Amino acid sequence: MTSVLPRPLATGDRRPTPRRYLLCRPDHFAVHYAINPWMRPDLPVDRARALAQWERLAALYRELGHRFDLLDPLPGLPDMVYAANGATVVGGTVLGARFRHPERAGEAAAHRAWFRGAGFARVVEPEFVNEGEGDLLVAGDVVLAGSGFRTDPRAHAEAARVLGRPVVSLELVDPRFYHLDTTLAVLDDATVAWYPDAFSPASREVLRHRYPDAVVARAADAAVLGLNAVSDGRHVVLPAAATGLAAALAERGFVPVPVDLSELLLGGGGPKCCTLEVHP
Ligand code: ARG
């Protein structure tokens, strides 16, 4: 049968680039409070299982040839495993985080100290609330910036000034997708995957215009945080339950790398939440 659909790209066409990440072991992971709709303090959490799943994620990054450093987990900060929220790093500049909820406030200083210790000369403590790479996604030459639940819209201009990159502001409207990285994944400098219903109508238009070739996720994949994915330009590490999204990515020439982080989903996070990318 002849197909009228465009031929999918050969998988060899997508080029990975080696990445640098900062991760934090879930040694103290727990769900003791609820600051997003995924968190249910009344349900049990299996920390040993969370650790095993996290170890697999770290092993995958190693297998894919990426470098990562480890931030020491601190007792009393059960969400610290979601390292993406602690800072935004581009070209040697570190824009520190300022958390919306007091429960996570202590994480920001730990991140700033780590980056100073690692030799980053410019580590900036922000004025406005921003939850790091949960809401500030580096996409090629721009930063896609979410607001609506966590990051203060005024932090967008602050990020543009500190990071020296234009910022594209996007408004989130569905509390399940409280950080931009829960509903939009940067696949490479020119492509994203996203779930339109999580955005205000105006932001949907901005994204449609900017990324006409984007991978548009279905509700079922968004609902398992499938878009909380980490791409190196070829391999896309994503939640294993997001099978529809994995197929759509494969059709577009990406190589989906499913990972089971079901225990960390109890805190409202997936692979990307656990991964702070140190952008060159
Ligand atoms: N429990 C954490 C919170 O609600 C999860 C953070 C997930 N991180 C992310 N980058 N989306 O803050």
Side-chain angles (χ1 to χ4, degrees), residues 54-151:
W54 179 92
E55 292 281 3
R56 178 71 197 126
L57 176 69
L60 274 176
Y61 289 146
R62 221 175 276 121
E63 286 164 32
L64 292 171
H66 303 310
R67 159 181 178 193
F68 60 81
D69 294 294
L70 294 176
L71 174 67
D72 280 339
L74 297 172
L77 294 173
D79 273 336
M80 206 167 166
V81 61
Y82 305 112
N85 300 125
T88 306
V89 190
V90 187
T93 293
V94 180
L95 171 62
R98 180 178 293 275
F99 284 85
R100 164 87 40 202
H101 300 98
E103 292 90 339
R104 296 195 68 185
E107 297 176 42
H111 276 260
R112 290 197 308 272
W114 188 88
F115 280 103
R116 275 195 211 99
F120 287 76
R122 188 159 177 251
V123 179
V124 177
E125 189 174 349
E127 180 181 356
F128 298 110
V129 167
N130 87 64
E131 297 205 348
E133 293 180 13
D135 274 323
L136 300 171
L137 300 182
V138 177
D141 295 337
V142 304
V143 177
L144 304 178
S147 69
F149 297 99
R150 299 291 180 88
T151 293

Side-chain angles (χ1 to χ4, degrees), residues 33 35-36 39 79 82 84-85 99 101 104 131 133-135 150 178-182 225 228 267-270 272-274:
Y33 49 80
I35 57 173
N36 70 54
M39 299 175 85
D79 273 336
Y82 305 112
N85 300 125
F99 284 85
H101 300 98
R104 296 195 68 185
E131 297 205 348
E133 293 180 13
D135 274 323
R150 299 291 180 88
Y178 55 94
H179 279 142
L180 181 60
D181 74 352
T182 61
L225 282 195
N228 196 249
K272 171 56 198 158
C273 298
C274 295

Side-chain angles (χ1 to χ4, degrees), residues 19-274:
R19 305 289 169 131
R20 178 177 179 190
Y21 302 130
L22 181 64
L23 309 178
C24 182
R25 291 173 58 86
D27 287 351
H28 306 289
F29 176 62
V31 179
H32 287 153
Y33 49 80
I35 57 173
N36 70 54
W38 303 83
M39 299 175 85
R40 297 270 313 266
D42 54 314
L43 296 182
V45 166
D46 185 339
R47 189 179 293 151
R49 193 154 173 260
L51 263 163
Q53 293 178 342
W54 179 92
E55 292 281 3
R56 178 71 197 126
L57 176 69
L60 274 176
Y61 289 146
R62 221 175 276 121
E63 286 164 32
L64 292 171
H66 303 310
R67 159 181 178 193
F68 60 81
D69 294 294
L70 294 176
L71 174 67
D72 280 339
L74 297 172
L77 294 173
D79 273 336
M80 206 167 166
V81 61
Y82 305 112
N85 300 125
T88 306
V89 190
V90 187
T93 293
V94 180
L95 171 62
R98 180 178 293 275
F99 284 85
R100 164 87 40 202
H101 300 98
E103 292 90 339
R104 296 195 68 185
E107 297 176 42
H111 276 260
R112 290 197 308 272
W114 188 88
F115 280 103
R116 275 195 211 99
F120 287 76
R122 188 159 177 251
V123 179
V124 177
E125 189 174 349
E127 180 181 356
F128 298 110
V129 167
N130 87 64
E131 297 205 348
E133 293 180 13
D135 274 323
L136 300 171
L137 300 182
V138 177
D141 295 337
V142 304
V143 177
L144 304 178
S147 69
F149 297 99
R150 299 291 180 88
T151 293
D152 189 312
R154 291 170 295 181
H156 294 183
E158 186 175 26
R161 183 164 34 79
V162 172
L163 300 172
R165 300 271 175 118
V167 165
V168 178
S169 288
L170 300 166
E171 194 193 344
L172 300 166
V173 297
D174 181 333
R176 288 177 303 159
F177 308 113
Y178 55 94
H179 279 142
L180 181 60
D181 74 352
T182 61
T183 192
L184 184 146
V186 175
L187 300 175
D188 61 26
D189 286 358
T191 326
V192 302
W194 66 302
Y195 178 56
D197 287 9
F199 294 87
S200 70
S203 296
R204 266 176 236 164
E205 277 319 303
V206 169
L207 287 165
R208 281 202 190 101
H209 179 73
R210 182 170 277 277
Y211 302 109
D213 298 326
V215 175
V216 176
R218 302 232 178 92
D221 292 302
V224 292
L225 282 195
L227 289 160
N228 196 249
V230 180
S231 174
D232 65 10
R234 174 176 169 84
H235 312 98
V236 183
V237 177
L238 83 169
T243 50
L245 180 61
L249 290 166
E251 243 168 65
R252 301 288 294 274
F254 292 96
V255 180
V257 181
V259 62
D260 176 13
L261 289 185
S262 54
E263 215 56 34
L264 291 163
L265 186 59
L266 299 175
K272 171 56 198 158
C273 298
C274 295

